[in-house]
Amino acid sequence: MPEKNGTDGPNGAAGNGSDSSSAGGNGAKKRVAVIVEGAKAVRTQATQEIKALKHPEKTDLWKSMLRVKHDETPRSRALGVLSNVFLHLHPAKINRDAVAYRYTWGMGGMTFYVYITLVFTGTLLMFYYHPSKIVAFRDILYLEHDVPFGKLLRNMHRWGAHLMVIMVELHMFRVFLTGSYKSPRQFNWVVGVILLVLTLLLSFTGYLLPDDQLGFWAVTVGTNMARATPLLGHDGPFGRQLGMTPFNDVRFGLLGGSIVDANALLRAYIWHCVAIPIIASTFMVVHFWRVRKDGGISGPAPVMLESEIKEPRKF
Amino acid sequence: MDLNQLWRIISTPDNVPIVLLMIVVPFYTWYGLSQAFANDRLVVQLEADPALAKTHHRKTQPWKPGWARDVHVWPYLLRIEFLAAIIVTLILMVWSITLNAPLEEPSNPTLTMNPAKAPWYFLGLQEMLVYFDPWIAGVVMPTLIILGLMVVPYIDENPLGNGYYTYKQRKFAIWTFIFGFIILWVSMIVIGTLIRGPGWMWFWPGTTWDHNRLEFTVNRDLPDVFGLKGRVAKIIFGAIVMGLYSVAGAIGIHKLLNLTPFARKIYKRMSLVQVVVMQVFLISMLALPLKMVARLVFRIKYVWVTPWFNV
Ligand code: HEM
């Protein structure tokens, strides 16, 4: 708050008002006048400060948090975005057409938002879940029936995961339809494909965690394919010839055993809650960084005509 | 007509995302392509009128002289992002309040689920298991899909359509992607969800899932159809058929890429490595629908039979 100790602070005014009864006549009147005056000063100061609260962005507290003055100038608007850790991935200004929803469908951004929601709800779920064959299923029942809002929490995590997969695919579809993977954004498309795979793996590893029939058989079907990996699976082409058995092939490595059991549950848990989120977050940072470094969103760019194609580079 | 069965399938909580998918994929296809056609009309207009092409701002978005080219991120972008966040949260909340996540019986290795289905986004791969051995459907094909997606920017030598929707300028690319994404990936997910029933048998929507149904189909290997007996003969025969398919596919794709003068111009820009890589991925992709036809129509199980692997 602005520190205006201009005239009489509250301390100065109220200081010696206590012995007003002992002195007589003139002295008492003077004292009353002083007190009234002091009270008035406090009142004006209070109203001033309350008025100042209508502009919290002008207070020292606010400035200390956000580091920029909040004036109505283009400069401070730009700084408000650039000097904020959460917003600084944005440029200060962008092309007026690039904010049109119909170009990007907002899909990349919404995918990221759903991912954040999933991290949030997932962390809350972790408070109630033990990745152990004995209690995992019971933890889910407990969550659904006894934990306040537990059911809502679980539902949000489940449907959010589905939503994220749908959105990632649509995001890829839009990037393709707009040709946004073309130079200079080729590599960001590759990063995107990695993110797509990681999104699917995140969803898949989470499927086993409730330890119910649905997840168990889905993961059994899924990992059974791994046993057929060429060279590295015991049922795959040339696997036997290379000495693969159910106890040393890739599937064994994935499950921590030859069947989907306690070790598989623990492995799924660690991949799902620790490893893949860290890897995916890292790739997302790279992805967003590249969007900026490649010159921001690709369009909507002015259309190019066939007659304007430049000669290809020669070898 | 068993509407009850149909409703049971559609309203299974885990199938709701597929119902959603069946709505949003057509919607966004239309949404994107309609913008593509609008841009194509603009291109035609500009090509017919070189003077206009020099002065036009070349977008379908409105434009007036004197408008600032750039706008502030705050508020013009951030307000959209905050609004989108609120809307997504609301959708997710409503969805989660109205529909409960499934929870089956505790896992039981001795009690097989029938049908045992993978999560919906992997149903395409599971559907492939009908037509290919697991090492192809579960390992080779996913690897090819991932690698194939990754090389897309490096083999697409068409400089047009960078940063705007267009159909006319990128016909081949658009068709390839729509074929791979919608016709193969999404529709196989839909088949896996709505049509595959117990025993992974084909039940048309509206028919009852009969758990006792038995199907007697005799699938034969292609070498047997031709009456080949010996092991070596079968290996050689399969290799020849695969080789013939690859050559025919390569020629067909080559023809397709030379269909119009514009296509020829783009094709000429590609290096030899690019052409070969593209051919490999396209031929592998086309193998899937071909094998589906071979299996469903001609009851062919394997084309190439060897002691180590079967294709
Ligand atoms: C977890 C998954 C992903 C997240 C969170 C994400 C996020 C984003 C965001 C926020 C943007 C900015 C533009 C927009 O919103 O459309 C973007 C752009 C982009 N994304 Fe993604 N993305 C993901 C997956 C993918 C995938 C699967 C691909 C492609 C295979 C991809 C390729 C690209 C490319 C090439 C751009 C630049 C597009 C342009 O400049 O117009 N991303 N991404």
Side-chain angles (χ1 to χ4, degrees), chain A residues 96-108 110 167 170 174 300, chain B residues 24 27-28 31 35 61 76-77 80-81 84 87-88 165:
Chain A
R96 69 176 311 123
D97 297 320
V99 299
Y101 173 80
R102 64 181 170 135
Y103 181 70
T104 66
W105 308 345
M107 273 309 160
M110 289 198 287
M167 281 178 166
L170 288 177
R174 141 8 232 174
Chain B
V24 292
F27 170 75
Y28 278 107
Y31 199 42
Q35 293 180 60
Q61 276 81 2
Y76 297 103
L77 177 60
I80 299 177
E81 291 182 353
I87 293 173
V88 172
Y165 290 95

PDB file of all heavy atoms in Angstrom, chain A residues 96-108 110 167 170 174 300, chain B residues 24 27-28 31 35 61 76-77 80-81 84 87-88 165:
ATOM      1  N   ARG A  96      -3.002 -10.597 -36.573  1.00  0.00           N
ATOM      2  CA  ARG A  96      -4.406 -10.466 -36.197  1.00  0.00           C
ATOM      3  C   ARG A  96      -5.237 -11.673 -36.634  1.00  0.00           C
ATOM      4  O   ARG A  96      -6.219 -12.029 -35.985  1.00  0.00           O
ATOM      5  CB  ARG A  96      -5.006  -9.187 -36.782  1.00  0.00           C
ATOM      6  CG  ARG A  96      -5.154  -9.200 -38.282  1.00  0.00           C
ATOM      7  CD  ARG A  96      -5.843  -7.943 -38.785  1.00  0.00           C
ATOM      8  NE  ARG A  96      -7.053  -7.657 -38.049  1.00  0.00           N
ATOM      9  CZ  ARG A  96      -7.279  -6.516 -37.410  1.00  0.00           C
ATOM     10  NH1 ARG A  96      -6.380  -5.562 -37.449  1.00  0.00           N
ATOM     11  NH2 ARG A  96      -8.399  -6.325 -36.772  1.00  0.00           N
ATOM     12  N   ASP A  97      -4.836 -12.339 -37.713  1.00  0.00           N
ATOM     13  CA  ASP A  97      -5.626 -13.478 -38.183  1.00  0.00           C
ATOM     14  C   ASP A  97      -5.322 -14.749 -37.392  1.00  0.00           C
ATOM     15  O   ASP A  97      -6.118 -15.679 -37.375  1.00  0.00           O
ATOM     16  CB  ASP A  97      -5.357 -13.732 -39.663  1.00  0.00           C
ATOM     17  CG  ASP A  97      -5.784 -12.540 -40.503  1.00  0.00           C
ATOM     18  OD1 ASP A  97      -6.849 -11.972 -40.195  1.00  0.00           O
ATOM     19  OD2 ASP A  97      -5.052 -12.178 -41.440  1.00  0.00           O
ATOM     20  N   ALA A  98      -4.132 -14.778 -36.769  1.00  0.00           N
ATOM     21  CA  ALA A  98      -3.732 -16.008 -36.082  1.00  0.00           C
ATOM     22  C   ALA A  98      -4.576 -16.276 -34.844  1.00  0.00           C
ATOM     23  O   ALA A  98      -4.576 -17.389 -34.336  1.00  0.00           O
ATOM     24  CB  ALA A  98      -2.256 -15.943 -35.707  1.00  0.00           C
ATOM     25  N   VAL A  99      -5.276 -15.280 -34.341  1.00  0.00           N
ATOM     26  CA  VAL A  99      -6.115 -15.546 -33.172  1.00  0.00           C
ATOM     27  C   VAL A  99      -7.467 -16.128 -33.569  1.00  0.00           C
ATOM     28  O   VAL A  99      -8.255 -16.498 -32.713  1.00  0.00           O
ATOM     29  CB  VAL A  99      -6.359 -14.268 -32.330  1.00  0.00           C
ATOM     30  CG1 VAL A  99      -5.051 -13.721 -31.815  1.00  0.00           C
ATOM     31  CG2 VAL A  99      -7.110 -13.236 -33.129  1.00  0.00           C
ATOM     32  N   ALA A 100      -7.721 -16.211 -34.897  1.00  0.00           N
ATOM     33  CA  ALA A 100      -9.013 -16.748 -35.334  1.00  0.00           C
ATOM     34  C   ALA A 100      -9.117 -18.212 -34.940  1.00  0.00           C
ATOM     35  O   ALA A 100      -8.231 -19.009 -35.245  1.00  0.00           O
ATOM     36  CB  ALA A 100      -9.152 -16.595 -36.840  1.00  0.00           C
ATOM     37  N   TYR A 101     -10.193 -18.582 -34.276  1.00  0.00           N
ATOM     38  CA  TYR A 101     -10.356 -19.961 -33.828  1.00  0.00           C
ATOM     39  C   TYR A 101     -10.331 -20.925 -34.999  1.00  0.00           C
ATOM     40  O   TYR A 101      -9.778 -22.010 -34.932  1.00  0.00           O
ATOM     41  CB  TYR A 101     -11.678 -20.112 -33.073  1.00  0.00           C
ATOM     42  CG  TYR A 101     -11.974 -21.547 -32.726  1.00  0.00           C
ATOM     43  CD1 TYR A 101     -11.365 -22.147 -31.626  1.00  0.00           C
ATOM     44  CD2 TYR A 101     -12.820 -22.313 -33.517  1.00  0.00           C
ATOM     45  CE1 TYR A 101     -11.613 -23.461 -31.313  1.00  0.00           C
ATOM     46  CE2 TYR A 101     -13.064 -23.638 -33.209  1.00  0.00           C
ATOM     47  CZ  TYR A 101     -12.459 -24.204 -32.110  1.00  0.00           C
ATOM     48  OH  TYR A 101     -12.690 -25.513 -31.809  1.00  0.00           O
ATOM     49  N   ARG A 102     -10.929 -20.496 -36.130  1.00  0.00           N
ATOM     50  CA  ARG A 102     -11.113 -21.464 -37.197  1.00  0.00           C
ATOM     51  C   ARG A 102      -9.807 -21.887 -37.854  1.00  0.00           C
ATOM     52  O   ARG A 102      -9.781 -22.860 -38.590  1.00  0.00           O
ATOM     53  CB  ARG A 102     -12.083 -20.927 -38.250  1.00  0.00           C
ATOM     54  CG  ARG A 102     -11.587 -19.707 -38.962  1.00  0.00           C
ATOM     55  CD  ARG A 102     -12.671 -19.283 -39.948  1.00  0.00           C
ATOM     56  NE  ARG A 102     -12.351 -17.986 -40.492  1.00  0.00           N
ATOM     57  CZ  ARG A 102     -12.449 -17.717 -41.792  1.00  0.00           C
ATOM     58  NH1 ARG A 102     -12.851 -18.634 -42.621  1.00  0.00           N
ATOM     59  NH2 ARG A 102     -12.141 -16.530 -42.223  1.00  0.00           N
ATOM     60  N   TYR A 103      -8.722 -21.180 -37.598  1.00  0.00           N
ATOM     61  CA  TYR A 103      -7.472 -21.645 -38.181  1.00  0.00           C
ATOM     62  C   TYR A 103      -6.867 -22.793 -37.379  1.00  0.00           C
ATOM     63  O   TYR A 103      -6.615 -23.862 -37.924  1.00  0.00           O
ATOM     64  CB  TYR A 103      -6.464 -20.499 -38.322  1.00  0.00           C
ATOM     65  CG  TYR A 103      -5.183 -20.975 -38.948  1.00  0.00           C
ATOM     66  CD1 TYR A 103      -5.154 -21.339 -40.283  1.00  0.00           C
ATOM     67  CD2 TYR A 103      -4.023 -21.110 -38.205  1.00  0.00           C
ATOM     68  CE1 TYR A 103      -3.997 -21.822 -40.860  1.00  0.00           C
ATOM     69  CE2 TYR A 103      -2.864 -21.585 -38.777  1.00  0.00           C
ATOM     70  CZ  TYR A 103      -2.856 -21.948 -40.101  1.00  0.00           C
ATOM     71  OH  TYR A 103      -1.716 -22.437 -40.677  1.00  0.00           O
ATOM     72  N   THR A 104      -6.616 -22.588 -36.090  1.00  0.00           N
ATOM     73  CA  THR A 104      -5.960 -23.658 -35.309  1.00  0.00           C
ATOM     74  C   THR A 104      -6.945 -24.579 -34.606  1.00  0.00           C
ATOM     75  O   THR A 104      -6.547 -25.597 -34.069  1.00  0.00           O
ATOM     76  CB  THR A 104      -5.058 -23.082 -34.206  1.00  0.00           C
ATOM     77  OG1 THR A 104      -5.888 -22.408 -33.265  1.00  0.00           O
ATOM     78  CG2 THR A 104      -4.035 -22.134 -34.760  1.00  0.00           C
ATOM     79  N   TRP A 105      -8.202 -24.205 -34.570  1.00  0.00           N
ATOM     80  CA  TRP A 105      -9.217 -24.929 -33.808  1.00  0.00           C
ATOM     81  C   TRP A 105      -8.868 -24.919 -32.315  1.00  0.00           C
ATOM     82  O   TRP A 105      -9.512 -25.612 -31.522  1.00  0.00           O
ATOM     83  CB  TRP A 105      -9.369 -26.386 -34.261  1.00  0.00           C
ATOM     84  CG  TRP A 105      -9.577 -26.577 -35.722  1.00  0.00           C
ATOM     85  CD1 TRP A 105      -9.920 -25.623 -36.639  1.00  0.00           C
ATOM     86  CD2 TRP A 105      -9.443 -27.789 -36.469  1.00  0.00           C
ATOM     87  NE1 TRP A 105     -10.008 -26.168 -37.890  1.00  0.00           N
ATOM     88  CE2 TRP A 105      -9.715 -27.493 -37.816  1.00  0.00           C
ATOM     89  CE3 TRP A 105      -9.116 -29.110 -36.116  1.00  0.00           C
ATOM     90  CZ2 TRP A 105      -9.664 -28.453 -38.827  1.00  0.00           C
ATOM     91  CZ3 TRP A 105      -9.071 -30.058 -37.118  1.00  0.00           C
ATOM     92  CH2 TRP A 105      -9.353 -29.731 -38.462  1.00  0.00           C
ATOM     93  N   GLY A 106      -7.818 -24.204 -31.952  1.00  0.00           N
ATOM     94  CA  GLY A 106      -7.388 -24.179 -30.554  1.00  0.00           C
ATOM     95  C   GLY A 106      -6.987 -25.529 -30.017  1.00  0.00           C
ATOM     96  O   GLY A 106      -6.877 -25.716 -28.810  1.00  0.00           O
ATOM     97  N   MET A 107      -6.750 -26.489 -30.904  1.00  0.00           N
ATOM     98  CA  MET A 107      -6.594 -27.871 -30.454  1.00  0.00           C
ATOM     99  C   MET A 107      -5.322 -28.102 -29.656  1.00  0.00           C
ATOM    100  O   MET A 107      -5.349 -28.781 -28.629  1.00  0.00           O
ATOM    101  CB  MET A 107      -6.627 -28.829 -31.648  1.00  0.00           C
ATOM    102  CG  MET A 107      -8.005 -29.267 -32.048  1.00  0.00           C
ATOM    103  SD  MET A 107      -8.945 -29.897 -30.668  1.00  0.00           S
ATOM    104  CE  MET A 107     -10.581 -29.744 -31.303  1.00  0.00           C
ATOM    105  N   GLY A 108      -4.198 -27.538 -30.139  1.00  0.00           N
ATOM    106  CA  GLY A 108      -2.953 -27.745 -29.396  1.00  0.00           C
ATOM    107  C   GLY A 108      -3.066 -27.178 -27.996  1.00  0.00           C
ATOM    108  O   GLY A 108      -2.728 -27.835 -27.007  1.00  0.00           O
ATOM    109  N   MET A 110      -5.758 -26.572 -26.247  1.00  0.00           N
ATOM    110  CA  MET A 110      -6.702 -27.293 -25.396  1.00  0.00           C
ATOM    111  C   MET A 110      -6.134 -28.646 -24.983  1.00  0.00           C
ATOM    112  O   MET A 110      -6.377 -29.101 -23.858  1.00  0.00           O
ATOM    113  CB  MET A 110      -8.038 -27.457 -26.121  1.00  0.00           C
ATOM    114  CG  MET A 110      -8.772 -26.128 -26.234  1.00  0.00           C
ATOM    115  SD  MET A 110     -10.513 -26.281 -26.601  1.00  0.00           S
ATOM    116  CE  MET A 110     -10.517 -26.756 -28.296  1.00  0.00           C
ATOM    117  N   MET A 167      -8.260 -35.072 -28.831  1.00  0.00           N
ATOM    118  CA  MET A 167      -7.781 -33.739 -29.197  1.00  0.00           C
ATOM    119  C   MET A 167      -6.422 -33.784 -29.872  1.00  0.00           C
ATOM    120  O   MET A 167      -6.168 -33.036 -30.812  1.00  0.00           O
ATOM    121  CB  MET A 167      -7.718 -32.865 -27.950  1.00  0.00           C
ATOM    122  CG  MET A 167      -9.069 -32.338 -27.544  1.00  0.00           C
ATOM    123  SD  MET A 167      -8.936 -31.371 -26.071  1.00  0.00           S
ATOM    124  CE  MET A 167     -10.528 -30.570 -26.098  1.00  0.00           C
ATOM    125  N   LEU A 170      -6.969 -34.717 -33.422  1.00  0.00           N
ATOM    126  CA  LEU A 170      -7.525 -33.611 -34.204  1.00  0.00           C
ATOM    127  C   LEU A 170      -6.482 -32.518 -34.438  1.00  0.00           C
ATOM    128  O   LEU A 170      -6.427 -31.918 -35.509  1.00  0.00           O
ATOM    129  CB  LEU A 170      -8.743 -33.024 -33.491  1.00  0.00           C
ATOM    130  CG  LEU A 170      -9.988 -33.897 -33.518  1.00  0.00           C
ATOM    131  CD1 LEU A 170     -11.100 -33.236 -32.726  1.00  0.00           C
ATOM    132  CD2 LEU A 170     -10.449 -34.142 -34.941  1.00  0.00           C
ATOM    133  N   ARG A 174      -5.349 -31.014 -38.024  1.00  0.00           N
ATOM    134  CA  ARG A 174      -5.343 -29.602 -38.423  1.00  0.00           C
ATOM    135  C   ARG A 174      -3.945 -29.190 -38.894  1.00  0.00           C
ATOM    136  O   ARG A 174      -3.814 -28.512 -39.911  1.00  0.00           O
ATOM    137  CB  ARG A 174      -5.886 -28.808 -37.294  1.00  0.00           C
ATOM    138  CG  ARG A 174      -5.446 -27.463 -36.767  1.00  0.00           C
ATOM    139  CD  ARG A 174      -4.498 -26.602 -37.353  1.00  0.00           C
ATOM    140  NE  ARG A 174      -3.528 -26.265 -36.316  1.00  0.00           N
ATOM    141  CZ  ARG A 174      -2.434 -25.581 -36.486  1.00  0.00           C
ATOM    142  NH1 ARG A 174      -2.111 -25.150 -37.661  1.00  0.00           N
ATOM    143  NH2 ARG A 174      -1.640 -25.356 -35.496  1.00  0.00           N
ATOM    144  N   PRO A 300      -2.921 -17.957 -40.381  1.00  0.00           N
ATOM    145  CA  PRO A 300      -3.192 -18.165 -41.802  1.00  0.00           C
ATOM    146  C   PRO A 300      -2.254 -17.318 -42.657  1.00  0.00           C
ATOM    147  O   PRO A 300      -2.269 -16.100 -42.519  1.00  0.00           O
ATOM    148  CB  PRO A 300      -4.638 -17.697 -41.967  1.00  0.00           C
ATOM    149  CG  PRO A 300      -5.143 -17.412 -40.607  1.00  0.00           C
ATOM    150  CD  PRO A 300      -4.008 -17.318 -39.669  1.00  0.00           C
TER     151      PRO A 300
ATOM    152  N   VAL B  24     -17.010 -35.576 -33.987  1.00  0.00           N
ATOM    153  CA  VAL B  24     -16.036 -34.499 -34.179  1.00  0.00           C
ATOM    154  C   VAL B  24     -15.166 -34.710 -35.409  1.00  0.00           C
ATOM    155  O   VAL B  24     -14.781 -33.733 -36.057  1.00  0.00           O
ATOM    156  CB  VAL B  24     -15.147 -34.273 -32.930  1.00  0.00           C
ATOM    157  CG1 VAL B  24     -15.956 -33.721 -31.797  1.00  0.00           C
ATOM    158  CG2 VAL B  24     -14.399 -35.511 -32.538  1.00  0.00           C
ATOM    159  N   PHE B  27     -17.044 -33.496 -38.377  1.00  0.00           N
ATOM    160  CA  PHE B  27     -17.232 -32.056 -38.256  1.00  0.00           C
ATOM    161  C   PHE B  27     -15.960 -31.319 -38.628  1.00  0.00           C
ATOM    162  O   PHE B  27     -15.979 -30.398 -39.451  1.00  0.00           O
ATOM    163  CB  PHE B  27     -17.660 -31.663 -36.838  1.00  0.00           C
ATOM    164  CG  PHE B  27     -17.625 -30.182 -36.614  1.00  0.00           C
ATOM    165  CD1 PHE B  27     -18.616 -29.378 -37.164  1.00  0.00           C
ATOM    166  CD2 PHE B  27     -16.583 -29.577 -35.920  1.00  0.00           C
ATOM    167  CE1 PHE B  27     -18.580 -27.994 -36.998  1.00  0.00           C
ATOM    168  CE2 PHE B  27     -16.537 -28.202 -35.752  1.00  0.00           C
ATOM    169  CZ  PHE B  27     -17.543 -27.411 -36.297  1.00  0.00           C
ATOM    170  N   TYR B  28     -14.828 -31.712 -38.041  1.00  0.00           N
ATOM    171  CA  TYR B  28     -13.598 -30.969 -38.304  1.00  0.00           C
ATOM    172  C   TYR B  28     -13.080 -31.215 -39.715  1.00  0.00           C
ATOM    173  O   TYR B  28     -12.402 -30.366 -40.284  1.00  0.00           O
ATOM    174  CB  TYR B  28     -12.538 -31.280 -37.243  1.00  0.00           C
ATOM    175  CG  TYR B  28     -12.741 -30.464 -35.986  1.00  0.00           C
ATOM    176  CD1 TYR B  28     -13.214 -31.029 -34.823  1.00  0.00           C
ATOM    177  CD2 TYR B  28     -12.491 -29.097 -35.988  1.00  0.00           C
ATOM    178  CE1 TYR B  28     -13.421 -30.271 -33.681  1.00  0.00           C
ATOM    179  CE2 TYR B  28     -12.701 -28.329 -34.865  1.00  0.00           C
ATOM    180  CZ  TYR B  28     -13.163 -28.914 -33.712  1.00  0.00           C
ATOM    181  OH  TYR B  28     -13.376 -28.151 -32.594  1.00  0.00           O
ATOM    182  N   TYR B  31     -15.016 -28.740 -41.490  1.00  0.00           N
ATOM    183  CA  TYR B  31     -14.575 -27.404 -41.078  1.00  0.00           C
ATOM    184  C   TYR B  31     -13.278 -27.028 -41.786  1.00  0.00           C
ATOM    185  O   TYR B  31     -13.138 -25.910 -42.313  1.00  0.00           O
ATOM    186  CB  TYR B  31     -14.372 -27.420 -39.565  1.00  0.00           C
ATOM    187  CG  TYR B  31     -14.364 -26.077 -38.887  1.00  0.00           C
ATOM    188  CD1 TYR B  31     -15.264 -25.098 -39.240  1.00  0.00           C
ATOM    189  CD2 TYR B  31     -13.467 -25.821 -37.859  1.00  0.00           C
ATOM    190  CE1 TYR B  31     -15.260 -23.881 -38.577  1.00  0.00           C
ATOM    191  CE2 TYR B  31     -13.468 -24.617 -37.195  1.00  0.00           C
ATOM    192  CZ  TYR B  31     -14.368 -23.644 -37.561  1.00  0.00           C
ATOM    193  OH  TYR B  31     -14.356 -22.447 -36.903  1.00  0.00           O
ATOM    194  N   GLN B  35     -12.772 -24.463 -45.432  1.00  0.00           N
ATOM    195  CA  GLN B  35     -11.815 -23.362 -45.531  1.00  0.00           C
ATOM    196  C   GLN B  35     -10.852 -23.582 -46.685  1.00  0.00           C
ATOM    197  O   GLN B  35     -10.427 -22.628 -47.349  1.00  0.00           O
ATOM    198  CB  GLN B  35     -11.037 -23.220 -44.225  1.00  0.00           C
ATOM    199  CG  GLN B  35     -11.892 -22.779 -43.071  1.00  0.00           C
ATOM    200  CD  GLN B  35     -11.086 -22.657 -41.784  1.00  0.00           C
ATOM    201  OE1 GLN B  35     -10.153 -21.897 -41.698  1.00  0.00           O
ATOM    202  NE2 GLN B  35     -11.451 -23.447 -40.785  1.00  0.00           N
ATOM    203  N   GLN B  61      -9.724 -14.064 -44.788  1.00  0.00           N
ATOM    204  CA  GLN B  61     -10.092 -13.233 -43.648  1.00  0.00           C
ATOM    205  C   GLN B  61     -10.308 -11.795 -44.118  1.00  0.00           C
ATOM    206  O   GLN B  61      -9.684 -11.365 -45.090  1.00  0.00           O
ATOM    207  CB  GLN B  61      -8.989 -13.241 -42.592  1.00  0.00           C
ATOM    208  CG  GLN B  61      -9.027 -14.395 -41.639  1.00  0.00           C
ATOM    209  CD  GLN B  61      -8.409 -15.648 -42.215  1.00  0.00           C
ATOM    210  OE1 GLN B  61      -7.912 -15.629 -43.328  1.00  0.00           O
ATOM    211  NE2 GLN B  61      -8.462 -16.731 -41.468  1.00  0.00           N
ATOM    212  N   TYR B  76      -6.113  -9.988 -26.774  1.00  0.00           N
ATOM    213  CA  TYR B  76      -6.797 -10.636 -27.901  1.00  0.00           C
ATOM    214  C   TYR B  76      -6.600 -12.144 -27.976  1.00  0.00           C
ATOM    215  O   TYR B  76      -7.485 -12.863 -28.419  1.00  0.00           O
ATOM    216  CB  TYR B  76      -6.398  -9.970 -29.222  1.00  0.00           C
ATOM    217  CG  TYR B  76      -6.831  -8.543 -29.252  1.00  0.00           C
ATOM    218  CD1 TYR B  76      -5.938  -7.511 -29.039  1.00  0.00           C
ATOM    219  CD2 TYR B  76      -8.177  -8.222 -29.424  1.00  0.00           C
ATOM    220  CE1 TYR B  76      -6.350  -6.194 -29.019  1.00  0.00           C
ATOM    221  CE2 TYR B  76      -8.603  -6.910 -29.398  1.00  0.00           C
ATOM    222  CZ  TYR B  76      -7.688  -5.900 -29.197  1.00  0.00           C
ATOM    223  OH  TYR B  76      -8.111  -4.613 -29.156  1.00  0.00           O
ATOM    224  N   LEU B  77      -5.419 -12.651 -27.575  1.00  0.00           N
ATOM    225  CA  LEU B  77      -5.241 -14.096 -27.578  1.00  0.00           C
ATOM    226  C   LEU B  77      -5.582 -14.696 -26.212  1.00  0.00           C
ATOM    227  O   LEU B  77      -6.293 -15.694 -26.119  1.00  0.00           O
ATOM    228  CB  LEU B  77      -3.806 -14.454 -27.960  1.00  0.00           C
ATOM    229  CG  LEU B  77      -3.484 -15.949 -27.928  1.00  0.00           C
ATOM    230  CD1 LEU B  77      -4.377 -16.714 -28.895  1.00  0.00           C
ATOM    231  CD2 LEU B  77      -2.032 -16.222 -28.259  1.00  0.00           C
ATOM    232  N   ILE B  80      -9.114 -15.532 -25.382  1.00  0.00           N
ATOM    233  CA  ILE B  80      -9.622 -16.746 -26.024  1.00  0.00           C
ATOM    234  C   ILE B  80      -9.138 -17.978 -25.276  1.00  0.00           C
ATOM    235  O   ILE B  80      -9.893 -18.932 -25.039  1.00  0.00           O
ATOM    236  CB  ILE B  80      -9.163 -16.811 -27.491  1.00  0.00           C
ATOM    237  CG1 ILE B  80      -9.708 -15.616 -28.269  1.00  0.00           C
ATOM    238  CG2 ILE B  80      -9.628 -18.105 -28.136  1.00  0.00           C
ATOM    239  CD1 ILE B  80      -9.234 -15.584 -29.694  1.00  0.00           C
ATOM    240  N   GLU B  81      -7.861 -17.938 -24.874  1.00  0.00           N
ATOM    241  CA  GLU B  81      -7.320 -19.101 -24.164  1.00  0.00           C
ATOM    242  C   GLU B  81      -8.038 -19.308 -22.836  1.00  0.00           C
ATOM    243  O   GLU B  81      -8.378 -20.441 -22.484  1.00  0.00           O
ATOM    244  CB  GLU B  81      -5.823 -18.918 -23.937  1.00  0.00           C
ATOM    245  CG  GLU B  81      -5.034 -18.994 -25.234  1.00  0.00           C
ATOM    246  CD  GLU B  81      -3.539 -18.861 -25.027  1.00  0.00           C
ATOM    247  OE1 GLU B  81      -3.128 -18.570 -23.897  1.00  0.00           O
ATOM    248  OE2 GLU B  81      -2.808 -19.051 -26.010  1.00  0.00           O
ATOM    249  N   ALA B  84     -11.432 -20.688 -23.570  1.00  0.00           N
ATOM    250  CA  ALA B  84     -11.352 -22.100 -23.968  1.00  0.00           C
ATOM    251  C   ALA B  84     -11.138 -22.976 -22.747  1.00  0.00           C
ATOM    252  O   ALA B  84     -11.755 -24.039 -22.607  1.00  0.00           O
ATOM    253  CB  ALA B  84     -10.222 -22.309 -24.979  1.00  0.00           C
ATOM    254  N   ILE B  87     -14.387 -23.363 -20.941  1.00  0.00           N
ATOM    255  CA  ILE B  87     -15.334 -24.225 -21.651  1.00  0.00           C
ATOM    256  C   ILE B  87     -14.927 -25.689 -21.536  1.00  0.00           C
ATOM    257  O   ILE B  87     -15.750 -26.571 -21.267  1.00  0.00           O
ATOM    258  CB  ILE B  87     -15.451 -23.791 -23.127  1.00  0.00           C
ATOM    259  CG1 ILE B  87     -16.107 -22.411 -23.195  1.00  0.00           C
ATOM    260  CG2 ILE B  87     -16.255 -24.806 -23.928  1.00  0.00           C
ATOM    261  CD1 ILE B  87     -16.120 -21.809 -24.569  1.00  0.00           C
ATOM    262  N   VAL B  88     -13.616 -25.968 -21.722  1.00  0.00           N
ATOM    263  CA  VAL B  88     -13.162 -27.355 -21.611  1.00  0.00           C
ATOM    264  C   VAL B  88     -13.425 -27.883 -20.204  1.00  0.00           C
ATOM    265  O   VAL B  88     -13.898 -29.013 -20.023  1.00  0.00           O
ATOM    266  CB  VAL B  88     -11.665 -27.460 -21.968  1.00  0.00           C
ATOM    267  CG1 VAL B  88     -11.146 -28.853 -21.658  1.00  0.00           C
ATOM    268  CG2 VAL B  88     -11.443 -27.141 -23.427  1.00  0.00           C
ATOM    269  N   TYR B 165      -5.153 -23.486 -45.378  1.00  0.00           N
ATOM    270  CA  TYR B 165      -5.925 -24.641 -45.843  1.00  0.00           C
ATOM    271  C   TYR B 165      -6.014 -24.601 -47.358  1.00  0.00           C
ATOM    272  O   TYR B 165      -6.283 -23.548 -47.945  1.00  0.00           O
ATOM    273  CB  TYR B 165      -7.338 -24.597 -45.270  1.00  0.00           C
ATOM    274  CG  TYR B 165      -7.418 -24.852 -43.797  1.00  0.00           C
ATOM    275  CD1 TYR B 165      -7.431 -23.800 -42.893  1.00  0.00           C
ATOM    276  CD2 TYR B 165      -7.474 -26.142 -43.304  1.00  0.00           C
ATOM    277  CE1 TYR B 165      -7.509 -24.034 -41.535  1.00  0.00           C
ATOM    278  CE2 TYR B 165      -7.552 -26.385 -41.958  1.00  0.00           C
ATOM    279  CZ  TYR B 165      -7.574 -25.326 -41.072  1.00  0.00           C
ATOM    280  OH  TYR B 165      -7.650 -25.553 -39.734  1.00  0.00           O
TER     281      TYR B 165
END
